[in-house]
Every structure is written in structure tokens, then in C-alpha cells.
Amino acid sequence: MTRRPESCSPGRITTAGPVGLSRFRHPARIAVEDLLYLSTAMSGDGAAAALFGLVPPAEVDRALVRAGLAGIAVRHTMDELTRTPVERFEPGEVHLAQSPAIGARTAGRGHPVPQLDVGRANSGTARARVDLLHALWVPTRVPAAAAARVRSLRGLNVIRHRPAPDLDSDASRWSSRTGALLNLRHEIGVVEHDDGSRYAVAALTESTVPAAVQPTAEAVPARVARGLHDLLRAG
């Protein structure tokens, strides 16, 4: 199954952010295992969309339920996730897409932007994401071989400008998955120390600044992750 090639359409996206298949200009045939690498280690939405074509969101959601992992809802594909107001503006006007995302959430966490409405979008709490990391690093609820492969791919994550600089060292390893959507910037991962200790961190952030490029917001997950890590390690 992992060696089976899949036909993938090019994304031809030119806006800043997306990587991998999303920027391909020509059709390609890529093995499923390589799609896993592109989607997980490179945060490639195009590769994730191709994988959802093989395993639909409803099936992924049922697998999480069978594993006893509550608090995460998988409702739609990557195409629906990335069809946001950003695509309607020119690169110099992307900040205009941020404004509808900020301050429009209802008391029940509904939102006029579908991707930010917890009742319609893919969603998950910080606790649920840490439970998922625990299930992958201590695989009693998921197949050990599959968990090991996911851990390996997360260790190869090439997007390392958030918590990685604060948690990586010669004596520790940060394995993670990161993501950004409109005014949201998230990263979840596990830091493993040479002494055998391991800490899972979920840093989920929401900016109130209507701007596409936000160095300060990018730095917040690192500060949050480091603070949580140090508090636990000291205790």
C-alpha cells in the first residue's frame, strides 16, 4: 500500500505559505509513503488532500473514536480547509482577509468564516492533541509500527521557526507538526531529552492583529512551549 503511486494534480498556488504539491506546476505520480512525508514533515496541504482522497475524513474520525481519542473532530478535506478569504485578495491585500477572522467569533465559538467555526470545521482542543501525542509516543491504543512511522516523520519536520529553536539542542529533540490558518498559528510536539524524559506540548495561538506577516505571533508558540516545558521539568 505505501509504495502504490497516486496521481496528483498540481496546486499551482503562488501565494506565500503553501509548500509541496500545492506549488507543483505539473501532474505527478507519487508513492503513498512519500505523500505521508510531504504532508507530515513538510506540512504540505496538497499531499494531505491526496491522502484524504484515499482515506476520507469520516474514516479518520472513526479511527480516532475507536482509539478512544476524544476532543478531535475531522469533518472535511484540506481543500475545504484552505478555501478561505485569503484566496480572494492580491498578495498586498492579504491583511484584509484577517479582519473578518478577528473578533467575529460568537460566545459558542461559532464563526462566519466556516474554517474557524468549531461546529463546522476540523477542530481539536489542546488536551485532545496532547492525548494524541501520548498515543503516538506510548502506543497502546494505535498500532506500534504506525505510531513509530508518525514519530519519525514528525522528527523530520522542516518548519522549525516556532518552538524548535527553544526546545532543540544537542541533548534534546523536538518532533512536531505545525500549522497556520488566517490569524491562527499552532504547533504540537514532543521534546525528548537524553535522560529519557519526554514532554508533550500543544501551543495553540490566535492573533488579534490583521496582518499576514507577524514575527511576534510566530514567536509566541516558542515562548509558551518553553514556559510549559520548564514548569513541568522543574516540578
mmCIF file of all heavy atoms in Angstrom, residues 12-64:
data_model
loop_
_atom_site.group_PDB
_atom_site.id
_atom_site.type_symbol
_atom_site.label_atom_id
_atom_site.label_comp_id
_atom_site.label_asym_id
_atom_site.label_seq_id
_atom_site.Cartn_x
_atom_site.Cartn_y
_atom_site.Cartn_z
ATOM 1 N N ARG A 12 -0.406 24.626 -8.167
ATOM 2 C CA ARG A 12 -0.133 25.890 -8.856
ATOM 3 C C ARG A 12 -0.445 27.113 -7.992
ATOM 4 O O ARG A 12 -0.826 28.169 -8.489
ATOM 5 C CB ARG A 12 -0.913 25.974 -10.173
ATOM 6 C CG ARG A 12 -0.555 24.892 -11.188
ATOM 7 C CD ARG A 12 -1.074 25.242 -12.572
ATOM 8 N NE ARG A 12 -0.709 24.232 -13.541
ATOM 9 C CZ ARG A 12 -1.519 23.242 -13.942
ATOM 10 N NH1 ARG A 12 -2.734 23.149 -13.428
ATOM 11 N NH2 ARG A 12 -1.124 22.365 -14.838
ATOM 12 N N ILE A 13 -0.288 26.987 -6.690
ATOM 13 C CA ILE A 13 -0.518 28.126 -5.799
ATOM 14 C C ILE A 13 0.700 29.043 -5.821
ATOM 15 O O ILE A 13 1.840 28.581 -5.756
ATOM 16 C CB ILE A 13 -0.799 27.638 -4.367
ATOM 17 C CG1 ILE A 13 -2.165 26.938 -4.328
ATOM 18 C CG2 ILE A 13 -0.774 28.792 -3.373
ATOM 19 C CD1 ILE A 13 -2.518 26.366 -2.976
ATOM 20 N N THR A 14 0.469 30.332 -5.915
ATOM 21 C CA THR A 14 1.576 31.296 -5.976
ATOM 22 C C THR A 14 1.650 32.186 -4.739
ATOM 23 O O THR A 14 2.616 32.917 -4.570
ATOM 24 C CB THR A 14 1.441 32.192 -7.230
ATOM 25 O OG1 THR A 14 0.181 32.863 -7.181
ATOM 26 C CG2 THR A 14 1.510 31.355 -8.498
ATOM 27 N N THR A 15 0.623 32.134 -3.871
ATOM 28 C CA THR A 15 0.651 32.967 -2.663
ATOM 29 C C THR A 15 1.641 32.394 -1.661
ATOM 30 O O THR A 15 1.981 31.209 -1.701
ATOM 31 C CB THR A 15 -0.744 33.029 -2.020
ATOM 32 O OG1 THR A 15 -1.205 31.695 -1.771
ATOM 33 C CG2 THR A 15 -1.732 33.726 -2.927
ATOM 34 N N ALA A 16 2.111 33.238 -0.745
ATOM 35 C CA ALA A 16 3.095 32.812 0.243
ATOM 36 C C ALA A 16 2.473 31.810 1.212
ATOM 37 O O ALA A 16 1.296 31.908 1.550
ATOM 38 C CB ALA A 16 3.611 34.023 1.013
ATOM 39 N N GLY A 17 3.296 30.834 1.631
ATOM 40 C CA GLY A 17 2.847 29.903 2.658
ATOM 41 C C GLY A 17 2.874 28.450 2.239
ATOM 42 O O GLY A 17 3.691 27.672 2.742
ATOM 43 N N PRO A 18 1.978 28.030 1.332
ATOM 44 C CA PRO A 18 1.901 26.603 1.000
ATOM 45 C C PRO A 18 3.193 26.053 0.427
ATOM 46 O O PRO A 18 3.968 26.766 -0.230
ATOM 47 C CB PRO A 18 0.778 26.553 -0.046
ATOM 48 C CG PRO A 18 -0.052 27.758 0.233
ATOM 49 C CD PRO A 18 0.926 28.807 0.675
ATOM 50 N N VAL A 19 3.437 24.756 0.692
ATOM 51 C CA VAL A 19 4.642 24.091 0.187
ATOM 52 C C VAL A 19 4.236 22.768 -0.459
ATOM 53 O O VAL A 19 3.080 22.373 -0.428
ATOM 54 C CB VAL A 19 5.658 23.816 1.328
ATOM 55 C CG1 VAL A 19 6.110 25.109 1.956
ATOM 56 C CG2 VAL A 19 5.037 22.906 2.392
ATOM 57 N N GLY A 20 5.234 22.081 -1.048
ATOM 58 C CA GLY A 20 4.999 20.746 -1.592
ATOM 59 C C GLY A 20 4.124 20.748 -2.832
ATOM 60 O O GLY A 20 4.263 21.596 -3.716
ATOM 61 N N LEU A 21 3.169 19.796 -2.894
ATOM 62 C CA LEU A 21 2.311 19.648 -4.063
ATOM 63 C C LEU A 21 1.530 20.915 -4.385
ATOM 64 O O LEU A 21 1.191 21.158 -5.544
ATOM 65 C CB LEU A 21 1.306 18.514 -3.838
ATOM 66 C CG LEU A 21 1.806 17.087 -3.998
ATOM 67 C CD1 LEU A 21 0.693 16.113 -3.671
ATOM 68 C CD2 LEU A 21 2.311 16.860 -5.400
ATOM 69 N N SER A 22 1.248 21.704 -3.374
ATOM 70 C CA SER A 22 0.483 22.928 -3.599
ATOM 71 C C SER A 22 1.178 23.850 -4.585
ATOM 72 O O SER A 22 0.540 24.653 -5.263
ATOM 73 C CB SER A 22 0.259 23.669 -2.271
ATOM 74 O OG SER A 22 -0.473 22.874 -1.362
ATOM 75 N N ARG A 23 2.517 23.735 -4.685
ATOM 76 C CA ARG A 23 3.275 24.587 -5.600
ATOM 77 C C ARG A 23 3.724 23.863 -6.869
ATOM 78 O O ARG A 23 4.372 24.468 -7.723
ATOM 79 C CB ARG A 23 4.496 25.170 -4.875
ATOM 80 C CG ARG A 23 4.116 26.135 -3.782
ATOM 81 C CD ARG A 23 5.289 26.970 -3.330
ATOM 82 N NE ARG A 23 4.869 27.969 -2.368
ATOM 83 C CZ ARG A 23 4.332 29.138 -2.676
ATOM 84 N NH1 ARG A 23 4.142 29.464 -3.924
ATOM 85 N NH2 ARG A 23 3.968 29.978 -1.722
ATOM 86 N N PHE A 24 3.398 22.573 -6.992
ATOM 87 C CA PHE A 24 3.740 21.849 -8.220
ATOM 88 C C PHE A 24 3.044 22.508 -9.404
ATOM 89 O O PHE A 24 1.897 22.949 -9.311
ATOM 90 C CB PHE A 24 3.298 20.391 -8.124
ATOM 91 C CG PHE A 24 4.275 19.493 -7.406
ATOM 92 C CD1 PHE A 24 5.103 19.987 -6.419
ATOM 93 C CD2 PHE A 24 4.351 18.145 -7.713
ATOM 94 C CE1 PHE A 24 5.983 19.176 -5.745
ATOM 95 C CE2 PHE A 24 5.244 17.310 -7.050
ATOM 96 C CZ PHE A 24 6.062 17.822 -6.070
ATOM 97 N N ARG A 25 3.742 22.545 -10.541
ATOM 98 C CA ARG A 25 3.172 23.120 -11.748
ATOM 99 C C ARG A 25 2.670 22.056 -12.711
ATOM 100 O O ARG A 25 1.955 22.363 -13.673
ATOM 101 C CB ARG A 25 4.212 24.000 -12.455
ATOM 102 C CG ARG A 25 4.597 25.242 -11.656
ATOM 103 C CD ARG A 25 5.623 26.077 -12.391
ATOM 104 N NE ARG A 25 5.913 27.321 -11.682
ATOM 105 C CZ ARG A 25 5.229 28.449 -11.839
ATOM 106 N NH1 ARG A 25 4.205 28.477 -12.673
ATOM 107 N NH2 ARG A 25 5.561 29.527 -11.173
ATOM 108 N N HIS A 26 3.052 20.805 -12.476
ATOM 109 C CA HIS A 26 2.695 19.735 -13.400
ATOM 110 C C HIS A 26 2.163 18.524 -12.645
ATOM 111 O O HIS A 26 2.524 18.308 -11.474
ATOM 112 C CB HIS A 26 3.918 19.322 -14.224
ATOM 113 C CG HIS A 26 4.623 20.479 -14.875
ATOM 114 N ND1 HIS A 26 4.139 21.107 -15.986
ATOM 115 C CD2 HIS A 26 5.766 21.133 -14.523
ATOM 116 C CE1 HIS A 26 4.956 22.108 -16.327
ATOM 117 N NE2 HIS A 26 5.946 22.143 -15.444
ATOM 118 N N PRO A 27 1.313 17.708 -13.278
ATOM 119 C CA PRO A 27 0.821 16.488 -12.638
ATOM 120 C C PRO A 27 1.981 15.569 -12.267
ATOM 121 O O PRO A 27 3.030 15.574 -12.918
ATOM 122 C CB PRO A 27 -0.084 15.858 -13.712
ATOM 123 C CG PRO A 27 -0.447 16.987 -14.620
ATOM 124 C CD PRO A 27 0.747 17.896 -14.628
ATOM 125 N N ALA A 28 1.807 14.786 -11.216
ATOM 126 C CA ALA A 28 2.871 13.880 -10.752
ATOM 127 C C ALA A 28 2.251 12.601 -10.215
ATOM 128 O O ALA A 28 1.091 12.564 -9.815
ATOM 129 C CB ALA A 28 3.699 14.555 -9.658
ATOM 130 N N ARG A 29 3.057 11.536 -10.221
ATOM 131 C CA ARG A 29 2.664 10.280 -9.594
ATOM 132 C C ARG A 29 3.602 10.048 -8.420
ATOM 133 O O ARG A 29 4.821 9.955 -8.589
ATOM 134 C CB ARG A 29 2.720 9.112 -10.583
ATOM 135 C CG ARG A 29 1.555 9.130 -11.555
ATOM 136 C CD ARG A 29 1.622 8.036 -12.597
ATOM 137 N NE ARG A 29 1.555 6.699 -12.017
ATOM 138 C CZ ARG A 29 0.425 6.116 -11.613
ATOM 139 N NH1 ARG A 29 -0.720 6.774 -11.682
ATOM 140 N NH2 ARG A 29 0.439 4.893 -11.129
ATOM 141 N N ILE A 30 3.053 9.990 -7.227
ATOM 142 C CA ILE A 30 3.847 9.947 -6.003
ATOM 143 C C ILE A 30 3.381 8.780 -5.142
ATOM 144 O O ILE A 30 2.177 8.558 -4.974
ATOM 145 C CB ILE A 30 3.704 11.265 -5.217
ATOM 146 C CG1 ILE A 30 4.141 12.454 -6.093
ATOM 147 C CG2 ILE A 30 4.527 11.231 -3.935
ATOM 148 C CD1 ILE A 30 3.922 13.801 -5.441
ATOM 149 N N ALA A 31 4.331 8.026 -4.590
ATOM 150 C CA ALA A 31 4.001 6.907 -3.722
ATOM 151 C C ALA A 31 3.307 7.403 -2.459
ATOM 152 O O ALA A 31 3.586 8.509 -1.976
ATOM 153 C CB ALA A 31 5.264 6.129 -3.355
ATOM 154 N N VAL A 32 2.405 6.575 -1.921
ATOM 155 C CA VAL A 32 1.655 6.960 -0.720
ATOM 156 C C VAL A 32 2.602 7.310 0.423
ATOM 157 O O VAL A 32 2.389 8.289 1.145
ATOM 158 C CB VAL A 32 0.700 5.822 -0.311
ATOM 159 C CG1 VAL A 32 0.073 6.117 1.047
ATOM 160 C CG2 VAL A 32 -0.387 5.642 -1.362
ATOM 161 N N GLU A 33 3.668 6.535 0.590
ATOM 162 C CA GLU A 33 4.599 6.814 1.690
ATOM 163 C C GLU A 33 5.265 8.171 1.516
ATOM 164 O O GLU A 33 5.526 8.876 2.498
ATOM 165 C CB GLU A 33 5.654 5.725 1.809
ATOM 166 C CG GLU A 33 6.524 5.873 3.046
ATOM 167 C CD GLU A 33 7.354 4.652 3.343
ATOM 168 O OE1 GLU A 33 7.543 3.817 2.439
ATOM 169 O OE2 GLU A 33 7.825 4.528 4.483
ATOM 170 N N ASP A 34 5.544 8.553 0.280
ATOM 171 C CA ASP A 34 6.131 9.875 0.046
ATOM 172 C C ASP A 34 5.108 10.986 0.262
ATOM 173 O O ASP A 34 5.463 12.096 0.676
ATOM 174 C CB ASP A 34 6.722 9.945 -1.361
ATOM 175 C CG ASP A 34 7.954 9.068 -1.506
ATOM 176 O OD1 ASP A 34 8.651 8.860 -0.494
ATOM 177 O OD2 ASP A 34 8.212 8.572 -2.620
ATOM 178 N N LEU A 35 3.828 10.696 -0.011
ATOM 179 C CA LEU A 35 2.784 11.663 0.311
ATOM 180 C C LEU A 35 2.712 11.887 1.816
ATOM 181 O O LEU A 35 2.493 13.008 2.286
ATOM 182 C CB LEU A 35 1.426 11.177 -0.204
ATOM 183 C CG LEU A 35 1.200 11.229 -1.714
ATOM 184 C CD1 LEU A 35 -0.122 10.559 -2.069
ATOM 185 C CD2 LEU A 35 1.212 12.674 -2.217
ATOM 186 N N LEU A 36 2.913 10.812 2.590
ATOM 187 C CA LEU A 36 2.944 10.942 4.046
ATOM 188 C C LEU A 36 4.083 11.856 4.485
ATOM 189 O O LEU A 36 3.920 12.694 5.377
ATOM 190 C CB LEU A 36 3.095 9.567 4.698
ATOM 191 C CG LEU A 36 1.866 8.660 4.641
ATOM 192 C CD1 LEU A 36 2.246 7.247 5.078
ATOM 193 C CD2 LEU A 36 0.754 9.202 5.522
ATOM 194 N N TYR A 37 5.251 11.699 3.844
ATOM 195 C CA TYR A 37 6.376 12.572 4.174
ATOM 196 C C TYR A 37 6.053 14.022 3.838
ATOM 197 O O TYR A 37 6.262 14.934 4.655
ATOM 198 C CB TYR A 37 7.635 12.138 3.416
ATOM 199 C CG TYR A 37 8.725 13.181 3.474
ATOM 200 C CD1 TYR A 37 9.458 13.375 4.646
ATOM 201 C CD2 TYR A 37 8.992 13.999 2.378
ATOM 202 C CE1 TYR A 37 10.434 14.356 4.719
ATOM 203 C CE2 TYR A 37 9.967 14.976 2.444
ATOM 204 C CZ TYR A 37 10.688 15.160 3.613
ATOM 205 O OH TYR A 37 11.637 16.136 3.684
ATOM 206 N N LEU A 38 5.528 14.255 2.628
ATOM 207 C CA LEU A 38 5.227 15.624 2.204
ATOM 208 C C LEU A 38 4.178 16.272 3.104
ATOM 209 O O LEU A 38 4.273 17.456 3.438
ATOM 210 C CB LEU A 38 4.732 15.627 0.751
ATOM 211 C CG LEU A 38 5.770 15.308 -0.324
ATOM 212 C CD1 LEU A 38 5.089 15.147 -1.674
ATOM 213 C CD2 LEU A 38 6.838 16.390 -0.393
ATOM 214 N N SER A 39 3.174 15.507 3.504
ATOM 215 C CA SER A 39 2.093 16.085 4.312
ATOM 216 C C SER A 39 2.508 16.316 5.754
ATOM 217 O O SER A 39 2.090 17.293 6.374
ATOM 218 C CB SER A 39 0.859 15.177 4.272
ATOM 219 O OG SER A 39 1.126 13.940 4.922
ATOM 220 N N THR A 40 3.329 15.420 6.305
ATOM 221 C CA THR A 40 3.656 15.497 7.728
ATOM 222 C C THR A 40 4.939 16.266 7.997
ATOM 223 O O THR A 40 4.974 17.164 8.834
ATOM 224 C CB THR A 40 3.773 14.080 8.326
ATOM 225 O OG1 THR A 40 2.569 13.358 8.044
ATOM 226 C CG2 THR A 40 3.983 14.135 9.831
ATOM 227 N N ALA A 41 6.007 15.947 7.291
ATOM 228 C CA ALA A 41 7.292 16.589 7.547
ATOM 229 C C ALA A 41 7.386 17.966 6.895
ATOM 230 O O ALA A 41 8.095 18.839 7.392
ATOM 231 C CB ALA A 41 8.435 15.702 7.058
ATOM 232 N N MET A 42 6.679 18.164 5.783
ATOM 233 C CA MET A 42 6.745 19.445 5.085
ATOM 234 C C MET A 42 5.480 20.279 5.247
ATOM 235 O O MET A 42 5.370 21.364 4.678
ATOM 236 C CB MET A 42 7.021 19.222 3.598
ATOM 237 C CG MET A 42 8.399 18.658 3.308
ATOM 238 S SD MET A 42 8.795 18.663 1.548
ATOM 239 C CE MET A 42 8.850 20.418 1.210
ATOM 240 N N SER A 43 4.497 19.770 5.996
ATOM 241 C CA SER A 43 3.218 20.479 6.163
ATOM 242 C C SER A 43 2.588 20.787 4.805
ATOM 243 O O SER A 43 2.049 21.883 4.591
ATOM 244 C CB SER A 43 3.413 21.780 6.970
ATOM 245 O OG SER A 43 3.801 21.488 8.284
ATOM 246 N N GLY A 44 2.645 19.822 3.913
ATOM 247 C CA GLY A 44 2.116 20.017 2.566
ATOM 248 C C GLY A 44 0.625 19.737 2.489
ATOM 249 O O GLY A 44 0.196 18.589 2.591
ATOM 250 N N ASP A 45 -0.181 20.802 2.282
ATOM 251 C CA ASP A 45 -1.625 20.627 2.214
ATOM 252 C C ASP A 45 -2.046 19.822 0.989
ATOM 253 O O ASP A 45 -3.033 19.080 1.033
ATOM 254 C CB ASP A 45 -2.315 21.996 2.183
ATOM 255 C CG ASP A 45 -2.191 22.729 3.509
ATOM 256 O OD1 ASP A 45 -1.861 22.077 4.517
ATOM 257 O OD2 ASP A 45 -2.405 23.958 3.522
ATOM 258 N N GLY A 46 -1.322 19.967 -0.122
ATOM 259 C CA GLY A 46 -1.662 19.224 -1.332
ATOM 260 C C GLY A 46 -1.517 17.725 -1.131
ATOM 261 O O GLY A 46 -2.359 16.935 -1.566
ATOM 262 N N ALA A 47 -0.447 17.327 -0.451
ATOM 263 C CA ALA A 47 -0.238 15.904 -0.170
ATOM 264 C C ALA A 47 -1.295 15.397 0.805
ATOM 265 O O ALA A 47 -1.804 14.276 0.666
ATOM 266 C CB ALA A 47 1.158 15.690 0.407
ATOM 267 N N ALA A 48 -1.641 16.205 1.806
ATOM 268 C CA ALA A 48 -2.687 15.811 2.758
ATOM 269 C C ALA A 48 -4.025 15.649 2.040
ATOM 270 O O ALA A 48 -4.789 14.729 2.350
ATOM 271 C CB ALA A 48 -2.796 16.849 3.865
ATOM 272 N N ALA A 49 -4.292 16.516 1.069
ATOM 273 C CA ALA A 49 -5.540 16.403 0.303
ATOM 274 C C ALA A 49 -5.573 15.096 -0.477
ATOM 275 O O ALA A 49 -6.619 14.430 -0.553
ATOM 276 C CB ALA A 49 -5.676 17.597 -0.642
ATOM 277 N N ALA A 50 -4.431 14.710 -1.051
ATOM 278 C CA ALA A 50 -4.369 13.447 -1.788
ATOM 279 C C ALA A 50 -4.606 12.256 -0.863
ATOM 280 O O ALA A 50 -5.274 11.290 -1.230
ATOM 281 C CB ALA A 50 -3.007 13.322 -2.485
ATOM 282 N N LEU A 51 -4.068 12.322 0.356
ATOM 283 C CA LEU A 51 -4.267 11.241 1.325
ATOM 284 C C LEU A 51 -5.723 11.171 1.778
ATOM 285 O O LEU A 51 -6.263 10.072 1.986
ATOM 286 C CB LEU A 51 -3.338 11.440 2.522
ATOM 287 C CG LEU A 51 -1.846 11.242 2.233
ATOM 288 C CD1 LEU A 51 -1.012 11.691 3.424
ATOM 289 C CD2 LEU A 51 -1.550 9.781 1.898
ATOM 290 N N PHE A 52 -6.363 12.323 1.926
ATOM 291 C CA PHE A 52 -7.784 12.322 2.276
ATOM 292 C C PHE A 52 -8.619 11.710 1.154
ATOM 293 O O PHE A 52 -9.720 11.211 1.397
ATOM 294 C CB PHE A 52 -8.272 13.736 2.581
ATOM 295 C CG PHE A 52 -8.156 14.121 4.028
ATOM 296 C CD1 PHE A 52 -7.563 15.322 4.392
ATOM 297 C CD2 PHE A 52 -8.665 13.302 5.022
ATOM 298 C CE1 PHE A 52 -7.469 15.689 5.734
ATOM 299 C CE2 PHE A 52 -8.576 13.658 6.362
ATOM 300 C CZ PHE A 52 -7.978 14.853 6.718
ATOM 301 N N GLY A 53 -8.100 11.765 -0.076
ATOM 302 C CA GLY A 53 -8.790 11.101 -1.176
ATOM 303 C C GLY A 53 -8.785 9.589 -1.023
ATOM 304 O O GLY A 53 -9.695 8.894 -1.485
ATOM 305 N N LEU A 54 -7.758 9.065 -0.353
ATOM 306 C CA LEU A 54 -7.650 7.619 -0.111
ATOM 307 C C LEU A 54 -8.381 7.224 1.178
ATOM 308 O O LEU A 54 -8.978 6.147 1.254
ATOM 309 C CB LEU A 54 -6.170 7.222 0.006
ATOM 310 C CG LEU A 54 -5.301 7.461 -1.232
ATOM 311 C CD1 LEU A 54 -3.839 7.159 -0.904
ATOM 312 C CD2 LEU A 54 -5.773 6.589 -2.381
ATOM 313 N N VAL A 55 -8.273 8.076 2.197
ATOM 314 C CA VAL A 55 -8.910 7.816 3.498
ATOM 315 C C VAL A 55 -9.739 9.054 3.841
ATOM 316 O O VAL A 55 -9.206 10.034 4.358
ATOM 317 C CB VAL A 55 -7.864 7.543 4.590
ATOM 318 C CG1 VAL A 55 -8.553 7.149 5.891
ATOM 319 C CG2 VAL A 55 -6.885 6.459 4.160
ATOM 320 N N PRO A 56 -11.036 9.033 3.574
ATOM 321 C CA PRO A 56 -11.879 10.212 3.774
ATOM 322 C C PRO A 56 -11.924 10.673 5.230
ATOM 323 O O PRO A 56 -11.678 9.879 6.153
ATOM 324 C CB PRO A 56 -13.267 9.735 3.303
ATOM 325 C CG PRO A 56 -13.001 8.560 2.424
ATOM 326 C CD PRO A 56 -11.774 7.905 2.992
ATOM 327 N N PRO A 57 -12.249 11.949 5.443
ATOM 328 C CA PRO A 57 -12.310 12.485 6.804
ATOM 329 C C PRO A 57 -13.174 11.661 7.757
ATOM 330 O O PRO A 57 -12.799 11.464 8.917
ATOM 331 C CB PRO A 57 -12.894 13.884 6.591
ATOM 332 C CG PRO A 57 -12.443 14.260 5.221
ATOM 333 C CD PRO A 57 -12.467 13.003 4.425
ATOM 334 N N ALA A 58 -14.320 11.187 7.299
ATOM 335 C CA ALA A 58 -15.208 10.408 8.177
ATOM 336 C C ALA A 58 -14.521 9.141 8.680
ATOM 337 O O ALA A 58 -14.704 8.740 9.837
ATOM 338 C CB ALA A 58 -16.494 10.049 7.437
ATOM 339 N N GLU A 59 -13.704 8.528 7.816
ATOM 340 C CA GLU A 59 -12.993 7.317 8.230
ATOM 341 C C GLU A 59 -11.899 7.650 9.243
ATOM 342 O O GLU A 59 -11.669 6.904 10.198
ATOM 343 C CB GLU A 59 -12.394 6.625 7.007
ATOM 344 C CG GLU A 59 -11.819 5.257 7.299
ATOM 345 C CD GLU A 59 -11.423 4.508 6.039
ATOM 346 O OE1 GLU A 59 -11.965 4.821 4.961
ATOM 347 O OE2 GLU A 59 -10.574 3.603 6.144
ATOM 348 N N VAL A 60 -11.215 8.771 9.042
ATOM 349 C CA VAL A 60 -10.206 9.215 10.007
ATOM 350 C C VAL A 60 -10.860 9.502 11.351
ATOM 351 O O VAL A 60 -10.354 9.120 12.416
ATOM 352 C CB VAL A 60 -9.471 10.471 9.493
ATOM 353 C CG1 VAL A 60 -8.489 10.986 10.537
ATOM 354 C CG2 VAL A 60 -8.744 10.168 8.187
ATOM 355 N N ASP A 61 -12.011 10.159 11.315
ATOM 356 C CA ASP A 61 -12.725 10.485 12.542
ATOM 357 C C ASP A 61 -13.130 9.210 13.293
ATOM 358 O O ASP A 61 -12.993 9.133 14.521
ATOM 359 C CB ASP A 61 -13.953 11.327 12.212
ATOM 360 C CG ASP A 61 -14.499 12.072 13.415
ATOM 361 O OD1 ASP A 61 -13.799 12.957 13.918
ATOM 362 O OD2 ASP A 61 -15.612 11.753 13.862
ATOM 363 N N ARG A 62 -13.605 8.208 12.561
ATOM 364 C CA ARG A 62 -13.996 6.943 13.199
ATOM 365 C C ARG A 62 -12.793 6.243 13.814
ATOM 366 O O ARG A 62 -12.889 5.631 14.886
ATOM 367 C CB ARG A 62 -14.673 6.030 12.179
ATOM 368 C CG ARG A 62 -16.099 6.443 11.816
ATOM 369 C CD ARG A 62 -16.825 5.345 11.071
ATOM 370 N NE ARG A 62 -16.230 5.086 9.768
ATOM 371 C CZ ARG A 62 -16.588 5.701 8.651
ATOM 372 N NH1 ARG A 62 -17.553 6.612 8.665
ATOM 373 N NH2 ARG A 62 -16.013 5.411 7.491
ATOM 374 N N ALA A 63 -11.635 6.337 13.154
ATOM 375 C CA ALA A 63 -10.421 5.709 13.693
ATOM 376 C C ALA A 63 -10.022 6.358 15.017
ATOM 377 O O ALA A 63 -9.589 5.671 15.949
ATOM 378 C CB ALA A 63 -9.281 5.818 12.681
ATOM 379 N N LEU A 64 -10.166 7.669 15.113
ATOM 380 C CA LEU A 64 -9.864 8.361 16.368
ATOM 381 C C LEU A 64 -10.816 7.918 17.478
ATOM 382 O O LEU A 64 -10.402 7.695 18.621
ATOM 383 C CB LEU A 64 -9.965 9.874 16.168
ATOM 384 C CG LEU A 64 -8.879 10.527 15.305
ATOM 385 C CD1 LEU A 64 -9.249 11.969 14.985
ATOM 386 C CD2 LEU A 64 -7.528 10.473 15.992
#
